[in-house]
Amino acid sequence: RRSSSRAAALLRLAAVTIGRSDTALGAFYRRLSARIGKQKAVTATARKIAVLFYNAIRHGMTYQDQGAAAYDERHRQRVLSNLQRRAKTLGFALAPIPETAAVS
């Protein structure tokens, strides 16, 4: 993709590469690319990398990757809490399926 900034081009390249890794950023990229497309996912992941880089340089923060499994679990919990809140506003309550019924 054409860019006037070499830094933007390098961040996009890093985003595409990290999309194939088993990290939280890789899981973020894959989830977005499935939903909104590859180009927008590359841009969003590049921005996320840039923010992490800025915070590391400016504030001395360190980045500790939790892995793709931890990211997927956090995303699942966030989706579940949003569904529960939405059901509650509509006057419903969500209940988990019993284990014996889930297998059948």
Side-chain angles (χ1 to χ4, degrees):
R1 188 172 176 180
R2 292 196 155 215
S3 174
S4 60
S5 170
R6 290 177 68 187
L10 291 173
L11 285 169
R12 281 192 181 92
L13 182 63
V16 170
T17 304
I18 209 164
R20 291 187 287 265
S21 68
D22 190 34
T23 61
L25 285 171
F28 171 79
Y29 171 82
R30 288 187 296 276
R31 185 175 64 85
L32 277 186
S33 66
R35 196 179 69 204
I36 63 173
K38 298 261 188 225
Q39 277 189 331
K40 289 183 181 180
V42 166
T43 302
T45 307
R47 181 192 179 282
K48 190 175 272 264
I49 294 169
V51 168
L52 289 170
F53 180 76
Y54 175 80
N55 286 331
I57 298 298
R58 177 75 168 94
H59 303 293
M61 300 170 88
T62 57
Y63 175 68
Q64 183 66 32
D65 186 68
Q66 301 299 318
Y71 175 82
D72 289 335
E73 181 58 31
R74 274 199 340 262
H75 178 256
R76 184 183 177 284
Q77 289 299 323
R78 191 168 52 243
V79 167
L80 187 61
S81 66
N82 287 341
L83 281 173
Q84 287 174 338
R85 187 183 69 243
R86 189 150 184 217
K88 186 178 177 182
T89 61
L90 294 173
F92 296 99
L94 297 181
I97 299 173
E99 289 298 318
T100 56
V103 176
S104 299

